[in-house]
Amino acid sequence: MAGALKPPSAFAITPHKVSLCILVQIYASPSQVSVPFPFSSVSQHNRLGLYLLALTKSCDDILEPKLDQLISQLREIGGLLDHWLTDHLTSRLSSLSSPDDLFNFFNDMRGILGGPDSGVMEDDQVILDPNSNLGMFLRRCILAFNLLTFEGICHLLTNIGIYCKEAISSCSSYELRRLDDSGNDLESLSEYENMDLNLVFKKINEEMEARKRATERVSFHLHLPKELSTLVEDIEVFADPKSEHYDKGRESSSYASSGDLLRDFDPNGGVFLRTNWQIQGYLTEQADAIEKHGSSFTLNAFELTLRQLQKLAPELHRVHFLRYLNSLYHDDYFSALENLHRYFDYSAGIEGFDFVPPTGCNSFGRYEIALLCLGMMHFHFGHPKQALEVLTEAVRVSQQHSNDTCLAYTLAAISNLLSEIGFSTTSGILGSPFSPMTSVGTSLSVQQQLFVLLKGSLKRAESLKLKQLVAANHLSMAKFDLTHVQRPLLSFGPKASMKLRTCPISVCKELRLGYHLISEFCCEGSTMTTDGAFSTAWLKNLQKPMGSLVLSQDNSSRNNSNPFLFCAQPSSIPGSVLQLVGSSYLHRATAWEIYGSAPLARVNALVYATCFADASSSSDAALVHVKLVQHLAVFKGYKEAFAALKIAEEKFLCVSKSWILILKLQLLHERALHRGHLKLAQQVCDELGVLASSVTAVDMDLKTEASLRHARTLLAAKQFSQAAAVAHSLFCMCYKFNLQVESASVLLLLAEIHMKSGNAVVGLPYALASLSYCQSFNLDLLRASATLTLAELWLSLGSNHTKTALSLIHGAFPMILGHGGLELSGRAYITEAKCYLSDPNFSVSDNPEVVLDPLRQASDELQALEYHELAAEAFYLMAIVFDKLGQLEKREEAAASFKNHIVALENSQNVEDLLLSV
Amino acid sequence: MSSKESCRNELRTAIRQLSDRCLYSASKWAAEQLVGIEQDPAKFTPSNTRFQRGSSSIRRRFRTNEITSTPPTGVAYVSTPVMEEDEVIHGDFYLLAKSYFDCREYRRAAHVLRDQTGKKSVFLRCYALYLAGEKRKEEEMIELEGPLGKSDTVNRELVSLERELSTLCKNNMIDPFGLYLYGLVLKEKGNENLARKVLVESVNSYPWNWSAWSELQSLCTTVDLLNSLNLSNHWMKEFFLASVYQELRMHNESLVKYENLQGNFTFSNYIQAQIAKARYSLREFEQVEVIFEDLLRNDPYRVEDMDTYSNVLYTKECFSALSYLAHRVIMTDKYRPESCCIIGNYYSLKGQHEKSVMYFRRALKLNKNYLSAWTLMGHEYVEMKNTPAAVDAYRRAVDINPRDYRAWYGLGQAYEMMGMPHYALHYFRKSVFFQPIDSRLWIAMAQCYESEQLHMLEEAIKCYKRAANCNDTEAIALHRLAKLHRELGHPEEAAFYYKKDLERMEAEEREGPNIVEALMFLATHYKAQKRFEEAEVYCTRLLDYTGPERETAKNLLRGMRIAQSSFPSMDVEHFHP
C-alpha cells in the first residue's frame, strides 16, 4: 500500500475481456472442418486470430475500449462476416443476465481449451493449446473469474449491462444521425460546447444518468466514449489534421455529404489511448513535445488532460512529472518545484518503462535522480548557485548508492552549468565530494576544473556505454576546446611543450566522435521495441489496407505527427539522438563562425535547418535561423535580412527572451549605426542590455555583446573617452570570466577607438594584442580585420608607412574577400585606395584603375549596406581621382553621390526623431 | 447572549425536530450541549447536580480569567423563530418510514414515502436515498478494492437527488433541512461555491443543525472564504467560528471563543474536548492531559478525540496510561479509526513498529482520509528505516491536507536520513511555514543546515534564533547558538548565548556537561577581556565540578591573581576607563 514498490494491479475480469472470450470461442469453436463454420476462408480465420492476438497482448489496460469501438474494429476485420460477428457478440453478451449465466459461460470456455498434453492437432480439429497466447489469456480469465467473490460477480454483471447498453444506445443514435444529419447541427454544436467544459469533471456513472435522460439528444453518445482520446486530439489538433477534421467536421454541413465513407472508421478514428504502454508512450511523446515547443505549448489544456489521466490512473505517477515539465517550460517556479517533489516522493525515481532495475537489488529508491532533476530545474530558472549545491548533493548521493549512471549524468550537468554560466570562482561550492576527481589540488581555476570534470564525465560515460551521454560530452568538449587554450594542469618543470593555441583539430575530432552516435543507433535500434508496442502498432495499422484512398493519403502526412509513432516504427532513430546529432551541426556552424569561415558556417546551418528541423527544439531551430539571417545581413545587406527575419518571426513565437528578438535588436542596432541613427542605436542597445540581465540569471554572452555595442555606439557618436572607458571595463570583465574570444574583439575595438580619436600610436599595441589573441584562438576572420585596423593605424601615422600598410592589407585580402562581409571588404578597399593615394611615389594618371577599381567595389558594397559615412568617403575619393584624371562628368557624378550620402547622414537626425516618435 | 433558559428551550425543540428527521448526529450534538448548560440548582435535585459537579474541578484549576461568564457586549443575537411542524396527514406513512430508517433499511424507507409531498416527507425520502447511496458506495469501495488512495466509486443517487432538490429549491418549496441535504449533495459533486451558499441559507434559517455547520466548516478552507460568508448572528455561530478557527490553525482565537462559550455551556464535554485539542496544538500538554482525564471521568465510553489524548500520552511516554486507554476504547468500539490509532500509538511507544503499522493501516482502511494515521504511519516507517515507504505515507498525508506540518517535517527528516540535506530543506521550509511557532521544526532545519555536507552555519544560526524565540523546551537552541558563534569566532555573541543558556539551566535546575562548558567558556572569555571579577565568579563556580576543568579553573584563578597583583595599573585602568 504505502510501499514504494507496487506490483501491477491484478488481472481483473472486465466486460471487454468477456467479449474477447466470446470472440476466442468463435475463433476456436470445436468443429471438425479445417475452416470453422462462420468463416469462408482460411485467411479470414487467420485475420481474426491475429486481431485477437493483438487485443489480448494489449490487455494490461488502464481504460478499455467500449463495445461500439470493438464492434467497429470487428467490422474492418470481419469483412463480410461483420454482421454475423457483431450479432453473435452482442446477443451472447446480452444473454448474460444472471450470475449463473456467467458461471455457465466460463464453464463453456473451459471446453475449448485442449487437454494439458494435446500438443498435436488431431484431425484438423481446432483446439486451443493451453500454453499458446490465446490459451493463456483464456486460462487467466477463467482463473480470475473463479477467484471472484459473489459481489465481484454481481459487479461484473452490472458492468456488462452498462457495456451493452452504451453500445446499443450509441448504435441507435448512429442510425438516427444518419437520418437527420444536417437538421440539428446548430443544436448539437452548443451541446458539444457544454460537454467539453464538463467533460473533465464528470464521472462515469453521471454520464450513465445523463444518457438515460438524453435519448432524444443524439450527438451526445458519439462523443462520450472517446473521452480520453478526444482530449488527446484536442491537444494535438495542430499536428493531427485528420482528427481535427473529424472533430470539427462533424458539425459542418459539408462533411455530411462527403463524410459517409469516413464515418465507418470514425469511432476508432482517434487512436486508442488505453494500454499502459500507450499511456506511457503518450506521456513520453508529450514530454518531447513540451521540450520542443517550449512555452508555446498549451499550458492549461494539457494540464486538464493530465488531471483526467491522474483521476483514471492514480498510481501512474509519471503524470506528476509531466506536470512538472509543463510548468517548467511555462516558467511557473512554484508549481514546478511542487510537482517535482511530489513525483519523486511517490515514485522514488523507480517508475516508468525506461527504468531498468539495478543489478544489485537496491530497495532504497533512487532519490539521486530527484536531485539531478532539481538541479536542472534550478539551472533552468537561473539559480546557478542553488543548482550547483543540489548537483553537488546529487554527486554525493549517487556515489553513496553507487549509481554510476546518475553520477555520469550529474557530472555532465555540472560541467554544462559551469560552461554556460559565468562563475568567477567556485571555491566553497565545489567542495569535498569532488576531491576524488580534482585531487590535483583545489587551487585550480574554474576553467581547469571544468576541464577535469568534462574529462571525468566523458570517461565515465564511455565506461558505462551511455552513448547519448558520450556524444553530448564530446560536444561540450568541443565547445570547451573551441574557446580555451589547453594548458598543462600542473605547471612545473620545463615549459617548452606549452603551446598557447586552441586546437581546431581537436574540436573537429570531438565533433566527429559525437557524430558516430547516429550510426550506432541505426544498428541496434530494434532492441528498444517491446511486445506491447508491437501489438499497438498492429492495431493502429489495421485501418490501412481497408481504408479509403483519402485515409491512406492522409496517413503519410500523419505519420510524423502521430503520438504513437515511436511505437509503430520501432527501428526509427529516437528523437533525442537526432537532436544530439543536429546539435553537432549547430556546433560546427558556430565553430566555423568563430574560426572565420562564413561559407562553411552557412552550409552547416543550412544542413541543420533542412535535416533536423523536425527533431530540434524550438530554441535550437530559432538559433539556426538567427545564424542564417545574420549571414544574410553581413553579406547581402539589411533589406534581405529583414525580409528573412519576417519569415523567421512568423515561424517562431517572439516571446520575451527569444533568439529572434535578440536578432532583431542586433540588426536594428547595426543598421542604425550605419545609417547614423545614433539615438535609435543607443535605445536598441539599452534594450539588449536589459535582456541580458533578466529575472532569470545574467547571460554573460549577451551582456558582453550589449556593452560592446554600447561602446561602438559611443564611438560612432565620437565620444571617444567614454567609449574607451566602456571598452576598458568590458575588457576587465572578459578577463575575469575568461571570455577570451570576446577579449580579442574588445581589444580590436579599443584600437579603433584610439585610431579614430587620433591617437594612432596608442592604438597600435591594442591592435597587436588583439592580433595575438586571434592567433592563439585561431580566429582567422577577426585576425584579418585586426590586420586591416593595423594597416589603417600605420597609414594614419604618416605617408612614409604606406608600404607597411599596403603589404599588411594585401596579406589579409584573401581572407577578407573570401569570408568577410560587405563592411569589412568595403573598408579594406577604401584603405587600399587611400594607401595608394597617399603614397608620394604613386601617380593616379599612370594607373587610375588601381585606385578606381577598389573604390568602385567599395562604394557598391557600402551602398548595399547603407553605410553612409564610408560610402561618402569612397565617393569623395573617387571624385578626387576623377578630378585628377580630368574626367569632369564622372567627377560630378561621384560628387553627387557623395552629396547624397552626406545629406542622408545629416538628415538622419530628423528621420531618427521621426522614427523615435513612432 | 440569550439567557440559558431560552437556549435550553431552543435546544429541546431542536432535538425533537432533528431526531424526528433522523439527523441523529446533529441531535446528539444538540443534546450534549443541552446537558452542558449549567442547571439552575434551585430546580433540580442534588443527584442531578452531582452529576454535573464532577467536571468543575478542572475549571477551577485552569480558568484564569472569569470573564467568560459574562457575554460579550454589543453583540445582538438574532432569535430565530422555532419552526412549526407541518404535516399531520399521512403521518402514519411517515412513522413507518422512520421506523425503517431507524432499522437502517433506507431504500424501504424511501419507498414508503414515494408519493408523499410534505416537506418533511420529501426530506426524509431524499435523505434515506442519500444514505442508501452512501452505504452502497462504502460497500463497493471494499468490494472493488483498488489500490489505496483510489476511489472511483461514487454515490449513485447524487445525480437524481441533485436534480430533484434543485427543482424544489427553485420553486422555493424547500425547508432548511432540505437545503442542508442539497448542500451536502452539491459538496459531494464538487460544486463548492453553490454548496456554501445553500448551506449558509440553511443555517441562517435553522441554526441548530450542527451537521450543516460542520459541512459548512469543511468548505471554509481559508480565512477569506470564511469572511465572505453572510451569517446572521446566533449563538450557534460562535460554535461554528470556534471550530473553523481551530481548523484554520488560529488556535488562540479558537480558544477565546470556546472559553466564552463555556460561560453558558459550562459542562459541555464537547467544548472541553475542543479546548483540549486547541491546547494540544499549542503544545500545552500538561493541561491537555488534565482535561482529558477529567473528560474520561465524566464520559468513560467516549472514543471521539481520544486519539489526541493518546498523542499526549505518547509524547509524555505514559506507557500504562496509554495501554489503559487502548484497552478501554477497544472494549467500547474496536472498529473506529480512533481506536486503531490509539493502539498504533501504544505499539509505537513499545517499539513494536510492525504491529503499529498494522493498526494504522487498519485505521486507514476504516477512513482513508484519516490524516494523522498517514503521518503516524510515516513516523513508524522512519523508525523501521523504510524511508521510501515513509516518504510515500507522508506524501499522502500532505496531499490530503497540505497544511499538515508534521508530515512535511517527516518528509524532511526522511530525506535527511538518506543523506540529502539540501533536498530535505525544501520540506523543512514548508513545515516551518505552516507552523512557525514550533521550535523543534526550526531546530531540525538548523541541524540540516549544520550538517557537514551543507555546512551553512549562518543560516543555521538564523534558524536556531527562531527556535530560541519560540519556547524551546529542550533547550537545544541556545547551546547550539553559543557553540556555533564560538566556532565562527564571534566571542561576544557566544558569551551572550552561553550566559543565557546558563541562566536557563539554573532556572530549570539542570546538570550536565553543558554547564561546565558554558562556565569554562565564560571564564576564559572574561579573562581575555580583562574583566577579572566576572571571570573569577565563573571560575569559582567551576571549582564545584570534578574533572580536568577544575584544574584549569584553578590555573585561571592563579593567573588572574598574579596579573592583578603585578599590574595594579591595569586594574585602575579597568575601573577608570
Side-chain angles (χ1 to χ4, degrees), chain A residues 67-77 264 267-268:
Chain A
L67 183 56
D68 49 345
Q69 287 162 335
L70 188 70
I71 286 174
S72 54
Q73 275 191 336
L74 272 179
R75 253 180 221 150
E76 286 170 36
I77 291 293
D264 287 342
N268 63 350

Side-chain angles (χ1 to χ4, degrees), chain B residues 201-240:
Chain B
E201 205 179 317
S202 164
V203 294
N204 276 345
S205 49
Y206 190 86
W208 302 280
N209 182 0
W210 180 244
S211 302
W213 287 107
S214 349
E215 290 304 326
L216 190 58
Q217 186 233 74
S218 69
L219 289 171
C220 292
T221 43
T222 61
V223 182
D224 293 335
L225 274 179
L226 176 65
N227 291 336
S228 69
L229 296 183
N230 181 21
L231 293 168
S232 51
N233 270 334
H234 187 269
W235 52 267
M236 283 293 283
K237 187 184 168 189
E238 302 296 306
F239 278 102
F240 167 71

